[in-house]
């Protein structure tokens, strides 16, 4: 089943007419499609893999626009107001939130990224990321939170555990999405519910992406 904006639960609709039309056009021109079903949940955690290229962000963005869906994603706090330029990326060892450099339009950058669904994460905070997210999620009545389980562009033999811990603590379903470059499609799989057996569940989740061809690598569970 192909996913369209009309199949998106009303609680998650963004009602962005221009961006929705633009997203559908760009998705069509890119020869990409979206398969599956968006579940009727008030809150859901989305994980996508394999994440092997910065281009993944572009295709995800136009897919979100095409579906006219509201999503939230995590971002280091510095990307909301600073520019990632060369040596500045080495950051401040005492404060990892000071990456990048300040610039006059940082306030506008902050507005745009938050409008796109960004949630700032303070890595220098004594409060853990999961605890920060729990506070954020509890403030929303409805939310689709997108997380990268691999934690970066490189292949890894383990998923980061944050999304799983969050799902368990807040009793939220996990929606796995395959980034299938070979068939040029996003495949929305069936919602996954943690059983409490972390090792078994993580293995089962990784197996869902086995053999999926990303832009720069094929996922191996």
């Amino acid at each position: 089943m192909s996913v369209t904006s009309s199949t998106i639960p009303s609680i998650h609709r963004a009602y962005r007419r221009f961006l929705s039309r633009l997203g559908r056009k760009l998705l069509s021109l890119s020869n990409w499609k979206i398969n599956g079903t968006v579940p009727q949940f008030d809150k859901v955690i989305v994980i996508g893999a394999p994440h092997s290229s910065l281009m993944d962000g572009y295709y995800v963005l136009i897919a979100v626009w095409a579906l006219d869906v509201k999503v939230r994603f995590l971002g280091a706090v510095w990307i909301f107001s600073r520019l990632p330029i060369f040596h500045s990326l080495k950051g401040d060892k005492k404060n990892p939130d000071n990456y990048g450099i300040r610039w006059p339009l940082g306030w506008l950058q902050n507005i745009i990224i938050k409008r796109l669904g960004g949630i700032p994460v303070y890595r220098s905070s004594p409060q853990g990321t999961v605890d920060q997210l729990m506070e954020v999620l509890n403030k929303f009545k409805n939310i689709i939170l997108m997380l990268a389980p691999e934690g970066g562009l490189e292949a890894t033999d383990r998923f980061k555990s944050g999304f799983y811990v969050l799902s368990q603590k807040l009793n939220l379903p996990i929606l796995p999405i395959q980034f299938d470059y070979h068939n040029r499609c996003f495949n929305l799989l069936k919602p996954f519910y943690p059983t409490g057996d972390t090792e078994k569940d993580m293995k089962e989740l990784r197996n869902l992406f086995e053999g999926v061809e990303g832009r720069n690598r094929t996922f191996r569970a």
Side-chain angles (χ1 to χ4, degrees), residues 43 133-135 137-138 165-172:
K43 298 180 180 181
L133 282 175
M134 285 181 63
E135 285 189 5
L137 289 177
N138 283 328
V165 174
L166 198 62
S167 172
Q168 273 196 306
K169 287 190 173 184
L170 295 179
N171 193 30
L172 299 179

Side-chain angles (χ1 to χ4, degrees), residues 81-132:
S81 60
R82 295 169 176 256
L83 296 178
I85 297 181
F86 304 114
H87 67 280
S88 65
L89 285 176
K90 295 179 181 178
D92 183 337
K93 292 182 179 180
K94 294 182 179 179
N95 186 355
D97 293 330
N98 283 339
Y99 277 31
I101 63 172
R102 295 182 183 278
W103 70 304
L105 295 180
W107 62 273
L108 180 59
Q109 180 178 332
N110 181 62
I111 291 174
I112 291 174
I113 295 179
K114 286 185 176 179
R115 285 285 181 86
L116 290 174
I119 297 175
V121 174
Y122 294 84
R123 292 178 294 173
S124 61
S125 171
Q127 183 185 30
T129 301
V130 172
D131 290 334
Q132 290 182 55

Side-chain angles (χ1 to χ4, degrees), residues 20 26 45 51 69 73 124 167:
S20 180
L26 292 174
I45 295 174
H51 179 31
V69 62
F73 60 90
S124 61
S167 172

